[in-house]
Structure formats: structure tokens, C-alpha cells
Amino acid sequence: MPFSNKVDYIPNMSGGGYDPLAVQEQKKVQTRRWQVLVGVFLFVLTIANIFIWSRAPEFRSQAIMHFAYTTQNAQELDYIAQQQLSLNQQRLTSNSLLQALSIKLREEHLIDLNVQQLKEMLSATASETGKIITLQTVGSTPELLKSVLQQWLSLYTSLLERERVSNGSDEILQYQQQLTVLEQKIAQQKQVINEFSQANNIVSSERNDNRIPNKIKGLGISLDEAEEQKTQALAELDSINESLANGQLIERPVDKASIEVNRAAVQELAAELSALSEKYTQEYLQRDPEVVAKQQKFSSLSKDLEQQIADSQLLYLQDSRRNLAVSVSKVNALREQLADFQDQAQDFNQKLEQYRRLDESLKELQSQAQTLKNQLVAQEVSKPFDAKISILEQPFTPEFPIGPNYWQDTLISIVAAILLAVMALLLFSFIVRQKSLPVGGTNFVVMPGQQHGNHYAELQGAEQAKLGARAQPLQLGEQHAPQTTIRLLTTAECQSLYNVANKQAKVVISLLLSGVDATELGKITKGDFVHVYTQLQIPGTYARQVKLTKQLAIIIEQLCEGLQVDDSLWTNPLSIEDFCQLIINAGHDAELPYPEQLSTEVLRHTYLTYLVSQGVRLNDLEQLSGYLKPADLAKYRAVNRHGKSVDIEQIDSIFPLTYSDANPDIET
């Protein structure tokens, strides 16, 4: 007898029935978990932020002391200088110095701070590479910080000065004081010299580098040039007068070119007329109009030439007289200017001599200062560890706080609150353990029916063991109770089934794994496919549109070739039993275990489990797969949803049949 395709779902009650009290207790425990998590988080966050935001802002003022040692010390005995710097740092925060500072602040500035408070406020940081000590005061009152730091710095510098005097360092101090006085005098002398030089237009102690001597020198050179021009103009005028007295013609150099042109024209006409007079008689020449015109032109050009020469001679004489007059006036003007500057030069010489005396005085002061510097260096070399202290940065009143960083601390408190809340939740979960719910009524067994007249219970023990070992589990709900295996195809098995199937079987498998019921398969016509065979329109009460893959659309298009709109998709009418046989045949070809268990119901069950595992709500299944009996629908309540429930628009309704990277096995 052939193997039956019917799938029976048998409730497994071995773990007990449904316990509503246990479910209620589970919900209470879950609610308490949330309360512990949120409560601890809010409690820690509130306490931490109260502490964070209630703190007063902190301000900081600082001063920088620089300890300068001699060059010899820096090169040869640097480690001793570092020890001296460390010693100064320790003395700055010593108890005796802080006690003296506390007394001074109380008596002179009415600031009451004890030694403990000063230790918390004050700090000294040494930098051996830079030979500096940074003094800092920290507190919540900006005005107080500057006063305390000033008195601290003043007290320590005075202490060092007293020690220097007692150790014989007063000679160095005396040299330093004398050097300071000399530097002040030098600065004053430089200012006097600058003011004197600006007032008297003196730029150098050298006479020729100043403006007035240079001006006198320039005027002398200009006067010599003017005298030479005057002599040349006078000689030129005498030459012209002598030529005129001798009756010589004189032409201006600028007029010579035009005079020569007119003279050449006159000579050319004279030559032509002379040639004509030799060739023709005088009577003929007087009657020939061309000859007469040339004679008239010659007469006119001769007169113009004489007049041009006379005008050029007159203009030449006038130009010479004018040049002589200009030269004479220029010489007279330069002599007057030179006479005026000679008087200024005498006064400038006196001022220059006074400037030289002031400059000599300045050089003498600078020489004395250099001598004192040499003596001071000698003293410092003889006492290499007496550092010269200078204040690089004076104490100041801070304008903005340095801390605390409220927002950073708030962020840290949030992270700490989250961690503590998670730890509290884990501790609560460890103390209060959740009871396991019974799983009776949530497991289903797929019975293979009969094979060769034998029920599944009547099969031989070896066959039952083989079937139980190779059957695929459908895991519904919790795993605490013993499970009974049923046949649920994995993604890999469905893909193997599809790959070896023929065209009709591929269409049957794909449509069943797309939400089409077995009763709807035999009613499909060519006209039910729309949008170039990429969608199947299911009519009726549960009308819907089923999305199809591109590969399936190509196969359906081939099957529908030559069919009319109302023709059935199948060449011969097929029943549900026929569809089951197509699936079983494909299972044999794919070498799946126990292919006789395959049926349309198994594929439909696999597809519904695929949808529910994605988070599809049970009440939304009919929109994708058509009508489901309430009893059948209830069987999927315990399918493990990998996440929260989602809308059907957010899930993938196409079962992965043709993808090379198949999805993991579906578990329920």
C-alpha cells in the first residue's frame, strides 16, 4: 500500500498541562527585573549627579620662578643644580614656611588659614630641564588665591635674600644694585642723546654724515658747475659778437639743417637758369613762361634764404645773451645760499661737538656697566650655586574655573549607573531564579501514516530507530521537556528538492513555499499571473497577490507558452495527490531521507514556520498564505520568533530557494 501523505499533529502532554499561575509568576519576576534595572540605574544616577553638581567650581592662580645658574655650572655640575632646584621645591611646601605664611596672612591681611588648609591650597612643581618652579594655589575664591600666592612668593624670596646676606652673598647683591643703577643712567643718557640729535638734526658724530655739511658740500659743487656754465655762455656770446663785427654769417645749430635745404634749392635753380641762358637768347627766356616761373621762384627762394639766415643770426645772439643771464643769476643765487649755510654750519659745528661729548659720556657709562658685569660674572663663578631668581609669571586673579568638569563627570556617572544596574540585575537573577514553564501541548508529532499496510507504530525497530535518527526536529517553545521529532524541512533540503525537480515540480514547490494552498494549485490559470509572471493573483475570499522570483517567472512563462488566458497552468488536470507525488519524486532524486514523508502539507508547514520565525503575527498569516483553521493556526504560537513581532511589509515573504548562500535552518 503506498505511503499516506496525511500529516497528523498529536499533542505531547508528557510535561504536564498549561499552568496559568506559573505564567503569572514568570511575568511578575520579569517585571521585578525591570524594576531592579531601572530603579538601581535611576538611584545611582541621581545620587551621583547630586554630588557632581553640588560641588563648587575650583579656580587656580600660579606664578613661575626661574633659577638661573652660571654657564660653568650648567655644563659641568648640572646634577648639583638639579638637587638645589629640588631642595627649593621642598622648602616651598615645608611646614615651617607654611606656618610663617599663615601668621603673615593673619596679621597683615586678615586672612585666617591654618597650615592644613594651606597644604591643600598650595603646590610647587619643579621642572629640572627648564630650571623653573611653578607655584599654584587652588580654591573656590579667585580673589583670595592671588593674595595668598603673592605673600607665599614674597616670603620665600625674602628668606632666600636673608640667607644670601648671611652666607656672604651681599657683594653680588651690591654689584647687581650698582649695575641696575648704571643701566638706568645708560637708558636716560640714550634718551637725552636721541632727543638732542632729533632736535638738531644730527644723525652721526661724523661731520660728513649729517645733513648741513652734506648740503654745504652739495652747494659748493653746484656753484662750481654754475661758474663753469657762466664762463661757457660768456665765451659763446663774445664769439658771436666778434663774428658779427667781422661780417661773418652765423647760424643757430638748430637752424642749419633747414638753411642748408633752402640753400641747395637756390643753387639748383641758379644752375638750371645758367644752363638755359647759355642755350637760349635773353628774349626767348623772357617769353618762355616756365623759365619766367623759375626765375621768379629763384628770386623768392633767394630772399627767403637771406631772411632765414638773418633771423637765425638774431635768435642765436638772443639765446646766447639769455643763457649768460641765466648762468649769472644761478651763480648769484648759489652764492647767497652758500653764505646762509655757512652761518648754519658754524652753529651745527657747536651742536655736533656737544653731541660728541654726550656720546662719549654714554660710552663711558657703558664701559663701567660692562666692567660691573664682568665682576658679577666672576663672583657668580666663584659661587656657582647661588642662583639668580627671576619671576617669569606674576600671580594673577583667575577669571574662569579649571574644574570640575560637570558634563564629563555626568557622562561617567551614567556609564557607572548602567554597569551597577546590570550587576544588580544579574545578582537579582541569581537570587530569584525563574521557574520553568511546562511545555505540554506545545509539541507536535508528524506521523508518516502507513507504508505497505503497516502503521508507523508497527514498523520494525531498526526502521523506527533510523527514522527517528534522521527526522528533522521542529522545536516549539522551551527545551526543558522531552521533545518528539517531526518532519520539518530545512532550507538546504528545500533547495535540494527544488534543484533536482522538473519544471512542473519546481512550480509546485515554489508556489507552496510562497503561500499558495494545495487546494488553490489546481485552479491556477494563465490569466492569474500578472506583471510579467512576477506575481500570482489568487481570487476568492482570501484574495491576495503572491510575489514570485525571477527564476520562477521564467519557468512559468515557458509553461504558459501557447496557452489561452483562461487555460489551466497544468497540461493535464492534477489533484492534490498528484502534487504530492511530484514532490516525493523530487525527494527521491534529491536523495532526501524518507522522501515518502514529503507532501504539500509538509512544504506549507515549512513555509508558515519560516514566516512566523521572522516575527509575522499569527493573525497576519492568512494575508500571505490564505485560509488557516484556528486549530492549525494555534500550532504556531510557540514557534521561536527571533525578535519582536513585525508587520508583514517588513519581512521577506519569498522562501530562499535559489540563493547560493542559503539561510540557516529554521527552528521552532
Side-chain angles (χ1 to χ4, degrees):
M1 182 177 180
F3 186 83
S4 176
N5 297 317
K6 184 176 181 182
V7 180
D8 296 327
Y9 296 90
I10 302 175
N12 184 359
M13 302 300 293
S14 61
Y18 174 74
D19 189 358
L21 295 178
V23 174
Q24 188 68 21
E25 183 66 23
Q26 182 184 9
K27 292 182 179 178
K28 289 182 180 180
V29 172
Q30 188 66 27
T31 302
R32 289 175 186 172
R33 287 180 177 177
W34 281 107
Q35 291 174 351
V36 169
L37 181 66
V38 176
V40 173
F41 173 76
L42 293 178
F43 176 77
V44 174
L45 186 63
T46 302
I47 297 300
N49 279 271
I50 290 174
F51 171 74
I52 291 171
W53 292 94
S54 61
R55 290 180 296 172
E58 291 186 354
F59 296 85
R60 179 175 63 193
S61 179
Q62 72 176 16
I64 300 177
M65 301 174 62
H66 180 252
F67 294 79
Y69 296 91
T70 61
T71 305
Q72 177 185 1
N73 170 61
Q75 293 177 351
E76 300 178 0
L77 303 175
D78 187 63
Y79 68 96
I80 300 180
Q82 293 177 1
Q83 293 178 355
Q84 293 289 329
L85 194 67
S86 178
L87 178 62
N88 283 301
Q89 177 190 3
Q90 295 177 3
R91 292 185 63 187
L92 279 166
T93 56
S94 63
N95 190 66
S96 59
L97 184 66
L98 294 181
Q99 284 181 348
L101 177 61
S102 177
I103 296 172
K104 184 177 182 181
L105 290 173
R106 186 182 303 109
E107 293 178 353
E108 298 181 6
H109 301 279
L110 301 179
I111 299 176
D112 190 9
L113 292 173
N114 56 33
V115 177
Q116 182 63 31
Q117 291 174 332
L118 289 175
K119 283 186 177 181
E120 295 175 355
M121 288 180 59
L122 306 179
S123 64
T125 306
S127 174
E128 297 178 354
T129 56
K131 301 297 184 295
I132 62 174
I133 295 179
T134 303
L135 308 179
Q136 293 183 347
T137 56
V138 179
S140 58
T141 308
E143 297 78 8
L144 179 64
L145 301 180
K146 180 180 179 181
S147 301
V148 173
L149 187 57
Q150 284 179 336
Q151 298 306 315
W152 186 26
L153 186 62
S154 174
L155 181 63
Y156 189 69
T157 52
S158 62
L159 176 63
L160 292 180
E161 291 297 331
R162 290 196 300 269
E163 291 180 352
R164 285 182 180 178
V165 172
S166 63
N167 293 333
S169 301
D170 53 343
E171 188 175 358
I172 295 178
L173 180 61
Q174 183 180 1
Y175 283 149
Q176 290 177 346
Q177 292 175 351
Q178 293 177 1
L179 183 60
T180 302
V181 173
L182 276 176
E183 289 177 348
Q184 292 177 354
K185 289 183 178 180
I186 290 172
Q188 293 175 357
Q189 187 69 14
K190 286 181 178 180
Q191 184 177 1
V192 170
I193 291 176
N194 289 334
E195 292 176 354
F196 185 82
S197 62
Q198 292 177 1
N200 297 282
N201 200 15
I202 299 175
V203 296
S204 175
S205 59
E206 297 295 331
R207 187 175 186 279
N208 293 331
D209 293 340
N210 296 282
R211 188 182 67 85
I212 292 178
N214 282 334
K215 188 68 176 177
I216 293 174
K217 183 179 179 180
L219 287 174
I221 295 173
S222 299
L223 181 61
D224 293 341
E225 293 177 354
E227 290 283 356
E228 184 179 357
Q229 292 177 359
K230 175 183 175 183
T231 302
Q232 292 178 356
L234 182 60
E236 184 179 8
L237 181 61
D238 292 341
S239 176
I240 292 173
N241 290 329
E242 184 178 357
S243 297
L244 292 176
N246 295 331
Q248 297 178 357
L249 296 178
I250 301 174
E251 301 172 357
R252 282 196 312 174
V254 295
D255 297 333
K256 284 185 178 181
S258 59
I259 291 174
E260 289 298 329
V261 171
N262 293 333
R263 182 178 287 117
V266 171
Q267 291 176 357
E268 183 179 358
L269 285 175
E272 290 180 0
L273 292 175
S274 176
L276 291 173
S277 61
E278 292 178 1
K279 186 177 181 180
Y280 302 102
T281 61
Q282 190 66 27
E283 294 178 356
Y284 177 78
L285 293 175
Q286 292 178 354
R287 293 180 180 179
D288 189 350
E290 292 182 359
V291 175
V292 172
K294 287 182 179 181
Q295 290 175 352
Q296 293 176 353
K297 183 177 181 181
F298 173 77
S299 176
S300 175
L301 286 176
S302 298
K303 292 179 180 180
D304 292 341
L305 179 61
E306 291 176 358
Q307 185 64 37
Q308 185 178 11
I309 293 173
D311 293 341
S312 176
Q313 181 175 300
L314 179 61
L315 291 175
Y316 195 10
L317 181 62
Q318 291 177 353
D319 290 342
S320 298
R321 291 174 178 175
R322 190 182 303 110
N323 291 336
L324 178 61
V326 170
S327 299
V328 171
S329 62
K330 184 177 181 179
V331 169
N332 295 333
L334 288 174
R335 286 177 178 175
E336 293 176 358
Q337 291 181 10
L338 188 59
D340 293 339
F341 272 97
Q342 289 292 344
D343 297 336
Q344 294 181 15
Q346 294 178 1
D347 184 55
F348 177 79
N349 291 334
Q350 297 176 359
K351 299 292 183 182
L352 182 62
E353 188 65 27
Q354 186 176 355
Y355 176 81
R356 288 172 177 172
R357 289 196 297 270
L358 292 174
D359 188 59
E360 289 294 332
S361 178
L362 175 62
K363 291 179 179 179
E364 184 178 356
L365 290 174
Q366 291 175 341
S367 176
Q368 294 176 4
Q370 186 62 39
T371 302
L372 278 176
K373 288 181 180 179
N374 295 335
Q375 294 175 355
L376 182 60
V377 169
Q379 289 293 330
E380 290 178 346
V381 170
S382 63
K383 298 177 181 179
F385 300 109
D386 288 343
K388 180 180 179 181
I389 301 176
S390 57
I391 308 302
L392 300 182
E393 183 178 7
Q394 295 291 340
F396 58 88
T397 301
E399 299 179 355
F400 54 88
I402 60 171
N405 192 334
Y406 296 104
W407 292 109
Q408 179 179 348
D409 295 345
T410 301
L411 181 60
I412 295 174
S413 69
I414 293 174
V415 176
I418 293 174
L419 294 177
L420 291 175
V422 172
M423 293 175 62
L425 178 61
L426 294 176
L427 181 61
F428 177 80
S429 300
F430 178 76
I431 296 174
V432 181
R433 293 186 177 275
Q434 186 175 347
K435 295 182 179 180
S436 301
L437 292 179
V439 294
T442 61
N443 297 325
F444 308 96
V445 181
V446 179
M447 299 301 296
Q450 296 179 351
Q451 184 178 16
H452 303 290
N454 294 325
H455 293 284
Y456 174 75
E458 298 175 355
L459 294 175
Q460 296 180 2
E463 294 296 329
Q464 291 183 7
K466 186 176 180 181
L467 177 59
R470 302 183 65 182
Q472 301 297 321
L474 170 61
Q475 301 174 356
L476 302 179
E478 298 291 330
Q479 300 293 324
H480 304 296
Q483 299 293 320
T484 305
T485 59
I486 65 171
R487 188 61 178 268
L488 177 67
L489 298 182
T490 63
T491 302
E493 289 177 333
C494 293
Q495 290 175 346
S496 299
L497 198 66
Y498 178 84
N499 290 333
V500 300
N502 57 21
K503 292 183 178 179
Q504 279 192 340
K506 285 182 186 290
V507 174
V508 171
I509 295 170
S510 298
L511 293 180
L512 288 172
L513 291 176
S514 299
V516 180
D517 191 6
T519 58
E520 297 172 339
L521 284 175
K523 303 176 182 179
I524 298 175
T525 63
K526 179 180 178 180
D528 295 333
F529 296 97
V530 295
H531 300 296
V532 196
Y533 301 96
T534 58
Q535 288 186 359
L536 173 62
Q537 184 70 38
I538 306 280
T541 306
Y542 295 91
R544 61 193 183 280
Q545 283 189 347
V546 178
K547 295 181 180 179
L548 306 178
T549 62
K550 293 183 178 179
Q551 294 85 349
L552 182 58
I554 294 173
I555 296 174
I556 294 175
E557 185 178 5
Q558 294 174 357
L559 293 178
C560 292
E561 186 176 356
L563 299 180
Q564 300 298 323
V565 176
D566 296 331
D567 291 343
S568 174
L569 177 63
W570 319 108
T571 307
N572 299 315
L574 299 177
S575 62
I576 296 178
E577 180 66 20
D578 296 330
F579 293 137
C580 291
Q581 292 303 321
L582 288 175
I583 297 172
I584 293 172
N585 294 336
H588 277 282
D589 293 338
E591 297 181 356
L592 297 182
Y594 296 94
E596 285 77 14
Q597 297 177 1
L598 303 178
S599 66
T600 57
E601 288 294 329
V602 171
L603 293 181
R604 180 169 175 80
H605 173 64
T606 301
Y607 179 70
L608 294 176
T609 305
Y610 167 75
L611 295 179
V612 176
S613 65
Q614 294 186 70
V616 176
R617 301 180 184 90
L618 298 181
N619 292 327
D620 292 338
L621 283 177
E622 292 182 340
Q623 299 182 34
L624 297 173
S625 61
Y627 174 72
L628 286 170
K629 296 179 181 180
D632 294 338
L633 187 62
K635 299 170 185 176
Y636 298 94
R637 288 185 298 195
V639 173
N640 183 18
R641 300 184 182 183
H642 303 285
K644 297 181 180 180
S645 298
V646 297
D647 296 329
I648 58 176
E649 292 81 8
Q650 301 177 6
I651 59 99
D652 186 6
S653 62
I654 299 177
F655 193 92
L657 283 178
T658 57
Y659 301 135
S660 59
D661 49 344
N663 292 343
D665 294 349
I666 302 170
E667 296 183 356
T668 59

